[in-house]
């Protein structure tokens, strides 16, 4: 029972609270609407991942214990949350950063999320037919999500590559070391140089799984294969919702229809282990799968917003920086491909606005990838 | 040159998006959005076009990306927003219809069309040139084959830290049940680190393994348990060399696996 409570707290409530505080501090989506909720949920995962990446590779190189890494990560996470909470309160005026997430302050930065009507107002502005179709679409979206989540929990995917990705988490928990055990055999090694997958040490998502396992008390294999999947599938759809939000704004029916089509396209993208659809719905817990199905759509949505909301580019750069850092934790694939995505958009903004300053914040956002690549070439 | 590029590129597309058709549908969707949604040109269509030009051009394909992503160009294709753009085009098409009934019909037609552009996700077999896998109903919370869990637990009952020499497709999965299980070597052909490990694996995969040498090596290196597949490790072949049969189970591949202990 305690494990269930801890799992729900750590994988659902804590991310929502983290995202809420972070969004408040950055002045993004402060009103209580669905887009704000999706964004907060997403950022609630991104922030702890980015913090973990800030410590992980260096502490692995320093050959510290897993406990030391968890402690450093935990303290930093809490300190950043407190700082974000204080900034959010200051930004929104005293007392206005309430549990309902409403705001009244005049000094709030305004982006589309702020301008949105509340759900009740939107509902009231619809005619009867629109209300019926909206309810129908909500039911269809929930049914699709429920079905895909049920499949992820009830079914399994067996691939000889998979144990290689997860055993470092179990070894770390067992020995309180990081990448010091040959994960294929269980032999203790004198140095991390001896492990076969040295590149994992710059993208140590397995150790994050070990951390979650330690915090929830759930066996790392069960956590990764069974428990994480539903939460990651939700995060993927939250990212797609954010994309739809930028383009469809207050047309909720269009946004839900978009989710339905996106979900169907992913469902009919099977058959190959590396397909994006398989990453999103079956091999969900792999770091590279999370990059493909959560981080890339999320970064894409923020980049769309970056082009649209010019006055909010600093805040969006911070979000992109965190997402870039989180992608580096998840997989070396993230380290390599996220700059290509951000760089392409940066190039377009440079061409369209003919101003070098427009891409300076974007250069800042790829620093985590540059740092990870430098570590890779230094130690890889 | 160009035909060679398209052949290689199509192979990568099939890895990134199941069969590669999605990418061409995505391009059609992008062209449609360029004409149909003028307000999305600047925020969406143009930057995505720049992205495609950078990621999918033949020069970068052969000269830039291999240096950045090495063998995993197909993963770079994930950055192309195939799912989002196709879905946006579908929604845009539906919104063009003013009549509610027509919208419903369009949704159904588009939904049916999407089912034709790629393989259904929840199928039993997945092809991959490196590591084929299969999809099945989970037998336990670990999401591992039931026999892997049973035999791993059996080993842990016998010994808190069992030292195992193993020639089955079990071996990579057993350490997911417990890291206390120690294996002589990693996956054959993939994660073999030392000459000693390779020598043992080479000895195990032979049609007629030299069990005298294997036993000697196991005792010398402190290994107690041996797991062998039926085709070259049945009890009548193995036991005469000083091994005791402890248990048997079905391997992932369907054949029988025998668990032996070295007799001192």
């Amino acid at each position: 029972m305690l494990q269930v409570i801890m799992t729900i707290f750590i994988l659902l409530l804590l991310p929502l609270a983290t995202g809420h505080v972070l969004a408040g501090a950055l002045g993004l989506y402060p009103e209580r609407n669905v887009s704000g909720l999706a964004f907060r949920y997403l950022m609630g995962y991104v922030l702890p991942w980015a913090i973990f990446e800030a410590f992980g590779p260096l502490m692995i190189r320093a050959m510290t214990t897993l406990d030391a890494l968890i402690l450093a990560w935990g303290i930093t996470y809490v300190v950043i949350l407190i700082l974000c909470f204080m900034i959010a309160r200051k930004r929104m005026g005293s007392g206005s950063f309430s549990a309902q997430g409403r705001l009244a302050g005049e000094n709030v930065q305004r982006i589309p999320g702020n301008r949105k009507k509340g759900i009740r107002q939107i509902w009231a502005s619809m005619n009867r037919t629109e209300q019926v179709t909206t309810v129908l679409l909500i039911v269809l979206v929930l049914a699709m999500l429920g079905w895909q989540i049920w499949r992820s929990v009830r079914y399994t995917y067996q691939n000889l590559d998979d144990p290689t990705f997860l055993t470092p988490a179990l070894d770390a928990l067992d020995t309180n070391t990081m990448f010091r055990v040959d994960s294929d055999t269980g032999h203790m090694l004198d140095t991390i140089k001896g492990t076969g997958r040295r590149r994992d040490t710059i993208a140590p998502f397995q150790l994050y799984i070990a951390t979650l396992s330690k915090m929830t008390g759930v066996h790392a294999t069960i956590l990764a294969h069974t428990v994480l999947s539903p939460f990651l599938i939700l995060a993927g759809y939250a990212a797609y919702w954010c994309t739809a939000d930028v383009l469809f704004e207050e047309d909720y029916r269009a946004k839900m229809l978009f989710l339905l089509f996106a979900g169907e396209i992913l469902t009919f993208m099977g058959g190959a282990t590396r397909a994006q659809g398989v990453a999103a719905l079956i091999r969900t817990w792999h770091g590279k799968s999370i990059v493909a199905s959560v981080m890339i759509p999320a970064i894409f949505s923020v980049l769309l917003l970056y082009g649209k909301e010019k006055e909010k580019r600093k805040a969006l750069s911070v979000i992109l920086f965190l997402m870039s850092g989180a992608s580096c934790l998840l997989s070396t694939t993230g380290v390599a491909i996220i700059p290509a995505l951000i760089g392409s958009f940066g190039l377009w903004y440079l061409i369209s606005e003919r101003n070098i300053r427009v891409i300076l914040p974007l250069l800042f956002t790829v620093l985590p990838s540059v740092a990870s690549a430098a570590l890779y070439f230094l130690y890889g | 040159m160009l035909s060679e590029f398209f052949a290689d590129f199509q192979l990568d597309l099939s890895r990134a998006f199941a069969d590669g058709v999605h990418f061409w549908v995505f391009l059609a969707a992008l062209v449609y959005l360029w004409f149909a949604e003028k307000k999305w040109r600047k925020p969406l269509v143009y930057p995505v076009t720049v992205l495609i030009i950078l990621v999918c051009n033949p020069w970068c394909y052969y000269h830039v990306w291999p240096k950045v992503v090495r063998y995993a160009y197909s993963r770079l294709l994930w950055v192309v927003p195939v799912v989002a753009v196709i879905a946006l085009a579908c929604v845009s098409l539906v919104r063009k219809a003013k009549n509610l009934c027509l919208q419903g019909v369009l949704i159904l037609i588009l939904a049916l069309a999407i089912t034709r552009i790629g393989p259904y996700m929840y199928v039993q077999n997945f092809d991959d040139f490196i590591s084929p896998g299969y999809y099945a109903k989970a037998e336990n919370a670990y999401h591992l084959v039931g026999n892997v869990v049973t035999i791993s637990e059996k080993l842990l009952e016998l010994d808190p830290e069992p030292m195992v020499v193993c020639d089955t497709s079990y071996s990579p999965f057993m350490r997911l049940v417990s890291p206390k299980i120690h294996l002589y070597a990693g996956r054959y052909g993939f994660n073999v680190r030392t000459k000693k490990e390779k020598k043992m694996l080479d000895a195990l995969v032979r049609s007629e393994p030299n069990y005298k040498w294997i036993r000697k090596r196991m005792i010398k290196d402190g290994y107690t348990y041996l797991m062998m597949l039926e085709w070259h490790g049945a009890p009548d072949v193995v036991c005469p060399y000083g091994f005791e049969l402890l248990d048997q189970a079905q391997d992932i591949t369907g054949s029988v696996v025998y668990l032996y202990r070295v007799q001192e």
Side-chain angles (χ1 to χ4, degrees):
Chain A
M1 189 59 192
L2 185 66
Q3 286 179 341
V4 174
I5 293 168
M6 282 305 288
T7 303
I8 291 171
F9 174 72
I10 287 165
L11 295 176
L12 187 66
L13 302 179
L14 188 61
L16 282 172
T18 302
H20 182 63
V21 172
L22 188 66
L26 293 169
L28 303 169
Y29 294 119
E31 284 182 39
R32 193 180 192 184
N33 58 42
V34 181
S35 305
L37 194 68
F39 178 77
R40 281 167 201 159
Y41 180 68
L42 206 54
M43 287 313 296
Y45 277 90
V46 167
L47 179 67
W49 285 345
I51 298 169
F52 204 87
E53 175 66 3
F55 288 99
L58 292 173
M59 291 182 77
I60 291 164
R61 286 291 151 192
M63 291 196 190
T64 61
T65 61
L66 176 67
D67 286 346
L69 174 60
I70 294 174
L71 194 68
W73 168 77
I75 291 170
T76 313
Y77 188 10
V78 170
V79 168
I80 288 177
L81 277 187
I82 292 168
L83 282 174
C84 284
F85 185 77
M86 287 163 67
I87 294 167
R89 276 186 72 92
K90 195 178 170 188
R91 188 185 284 279
M92 294 178 184
S94 60
S96 59
F97 187 62
S98 62
Q100 287 81 30
R102 295 179 186 283
L103 67 126
E106 290 297 314
N107 55 341
V108 175
Q109 294 184 35
R110 293 200 167 270
I111 68 162
N114 302 40
R115 284 198 293 272
K116 280 177 186 153
K117 298 171 191 167
I119 293 169
R120 279 182 193 170
Q121 284 171 286
I122 291 168
W123 182 257
S125 68
M126 289 177 181
N127 62 36
R128 186 77 183 152
T129 316
E130 287 170 343
Q131 286 179 346
V132 171
T133 49
T134 305
V135 171
L136 185 68
L137 285 168
I138 290 171
V139 170
L140 284 172
V141 168
L142 291 177
M144 180 188 74
L145 278 175
W147 179 64
Q148 290 178 343
I149 285 171
W150 178 80
R151 292 291 305 210
S152 76
V153 174
R154 198 66 198 88
Y155 282 74
T156 178
Y157 175 74
Q158 302 286 330
N159 180 310
L160 285 169
D161 265 351
D162 291 16
T164 315
F165 296 123
L166 194 53
T167 37
L170 282 96
D171 286 325
L173 286 165
D174 185 42
T175 60
N176 195 23
T177 61
M178 299 185 287
F179 295 105
R180 296 282 306 281
V181 176
D182 181 340
S183 60
D184 291 303
T185 60
H187 300 158
M188 197 74 185
L189 301 160
D190 296 332
T191 163
I192 54 170
K193 283 272 183 192
T195 57
R197 296 176 58 81
R198 287 197 292 273
R199 62 195 165 96
D200 282 358
T201 60
I202 62 160
F205 184 60
Q206 297 99 326
L207 297 182
Y208 190 78
I209 290 176
T211 304
L212 289 180
S213 172
K214 202 158 196 166
M215 288 163 75
T216 57
V218 179
H219 190 289
T221 306
I222 297 173
L223 185 85
H225 285 174
T226 315
V227 180
L228 266 180
S229 297
F231 298 98
L232 293 171
I233 288 173
L234 283 179
Y237 281 108
Y240 281 116
W241 183 274
C242 289
T243 301
D245 191 60
V246 178
L247 297 169
F248 296 120
E249 298 186 350
E250 287 175 7
D251 189 346
Y252 277 77
R253 286 185 302 162
K255 285 193 260 189
M256 278 181 282
L257 199 55
F258 172 81
L259 274 199
L260 281 173
F261 279 124
E264 197 197 353
I265 295 163
L266 288 171
T267 309
F268 285 89
M269 203 189 269
T273 48
R274 292 165 186 222
Q276 201 174 16
V278 176
L281 301 175
I282 290 180
R283 302 179 83 182
T284 47
W285 61 273
H286 283 225
K288 57 177 174 278
S289 297
I290 305 171
V291 170
S293 59
V294 180
M295 296 316 302
I296 289 173
I299 290 172
F300 180 69
S301 74
V302 178
L303 285 168
L304 290 181
L305 203 56
Y306 191 90
K308 204 173 175 184
E309 298 294 327
K310 291 175 185 171
E311 72 277 18
K312 297 297 157 267
R313 283 184 171 169
K314 279 182 187 167
L316 293 170
S317 300
V318 175
I319 299 290
L320 280 173
F321 178 83
L322 293 172
M323 287 181 168
S324 187
S327 303
C328 291
L329 171 79
L330 294 165
S331 168
T332 43
T333 300
V335 174
I337 69 176
I338 295 302
L341 178 60
I342 296 175
S344 301
F345 274 75
L347 185 61
W348 163 245
Y349 297 141
L350 185 64
I351 293 166
S352 64
E353 296 178 30
R354 294 183 188 86
N355 184 353
I356 192 80
R357 283 197 299 183
V358 72
I359 57 159
L360 292 179
L362 289 179
L363 286 176
F364 158 75
T365 67
V366 295
L367 282 180
S369 283
V370 174
S372 290
L375 271 178
Y376 179 79
F377 287 115
L378 274 174
Y379 300 116
Chain B
M1 166 74 181
L2 213 57
S3 61
E4 188 191 343
F5 164 71
F6 276 113
D8 292 344
F9 186 63
Q10 185 64 31
L11 191 66
D12 281 313
L13 284 179
S14 66
R15 286 174 193 152
F17 308 114
D19 58 2
V21 178
H22 289 86
F23 184 79
W24 306 110
V25 176
F26 152 80
L27 283 184
L30 198 66
V31 172
Y32 163 78
L33 289 176
W34 193 85
F35 284 109
E37 301 284 350
K38 282 184 183 168
K39 62 178 180 176
W40 288 353
R41 278 186 192 172
K42 212 173 169 188
L44 176 80
V45 179
Y46 294 145
V48 171
T49 307
V50 172
L51 178 68
I52 299 165
I53 291 168
L54 280 178
V55 171
C56 308
N57 77 74
W59 189 81
C60 287
Y61 182 85
Y62 287 115
H63 298 100
V64 178
W65 300 124
K67 287 171 187 154
V68 179
V69 290
R70 295 191 177 175
Y71 60 91
Y73 175 80
S74 60
R75 292 182 200 162
L76 179 67
L77 287 171
W78 287 339
V79 300
V80 181
V82 165
V83 176
V85 168
I86 298 175
L88 284 169
C90 290
V91 178
S92 164
L93 260 172
V94 172
R95 290 213 304 184
K96 294 282 175 208
K98 299 293 172 207
N99 184 306
L100 193 65
C101 291
L102 192 61
Q103 285 184 343
V105 171
L106 261 176
I107 290 171
L108 282 176
I109 291 170
L110 289 168
L112 276 172
I114 288 168
T115 64
R116 309 307 305 164
I117 62 172
Y120 180 56
M121 171 75 52
Y122 302 115
V123 289
Q124 296 301 307
N125 295 303
F126 285 82
D127 299 322
D128 193 305
F129 65 107
I130 289 177
S131 51
Y134 71 94
Y135 182 72
K137 208 163 198 173
E139 295 175 59
N140 46 56
Y142 292 99
H143 275 208
L144 298 173
V145 172
N147 287 329
V148 171
V149 179
T150 313
I151 212 145
S152 301
E153 284 171 352
K154 169 91 181 172
L155 275 167
L156 291 163
E157 266 175 38
L158 293 164
D159 197 328
E161 292 204 19
M163 306 286 282
V164 189
V165 172
C166 192
D167 172 41
T168 77
S169 49
Y170 275 176
S171 58
F173 296 99
M174 278 163 51
R175 300 204 71 251
L176 285 180
V177 178
S178 171
K180 297 285 184 197
I181 297 172
H182 294 260
L183 301 172
Y184 197 97
R187 243 168 88 194
Y188 188 72
F190 284 89
N191 305 329
V192 182
R193 315 239 187 277
T194 62
K195 281 182 184 171
K196 199 172 83 171
E197 289 179 15
K198 190 179 180 306
K199 211 171 169 185
M200 175 59 93
L201 285 176
D202 285 341
L204 289 173
V205 296
R206 282 181 194 152
S207 55
E208 290 178 9
N210 183 348
Y211 285 106
K212 196 176 168 186
W213 180 86
I214 291 171
R215 182 174 179 275
K216 197 175 145 193
R217 197 82 213 172
M218 282 177 70
I219 292 170
K220 192 182 171 197
D221 294 335
Y223 282 78
T224 318
Y225 302 96
L226 174 70
M227 286 174 71
M228 292 300 288
L229 286 168
E230 187 182 28
W231 71 278
H232 63 165
D236 56 327
V237 179
V238 180
C239 289
Y241 291 94
F243 290 94
E244 175 196 2
L245 180 66
L246 294 177
D247 205 351
Q248 68 178 68
Q250 202 169 37
D251 189 39
I252 295 166
T253 54
S255 57
V256 177
V257 174
Y258 293 103
L259 172 64
Y260 302 99
R261 178 162 48 198
V262 173
Q263 287 175 320
E264 291 297 330

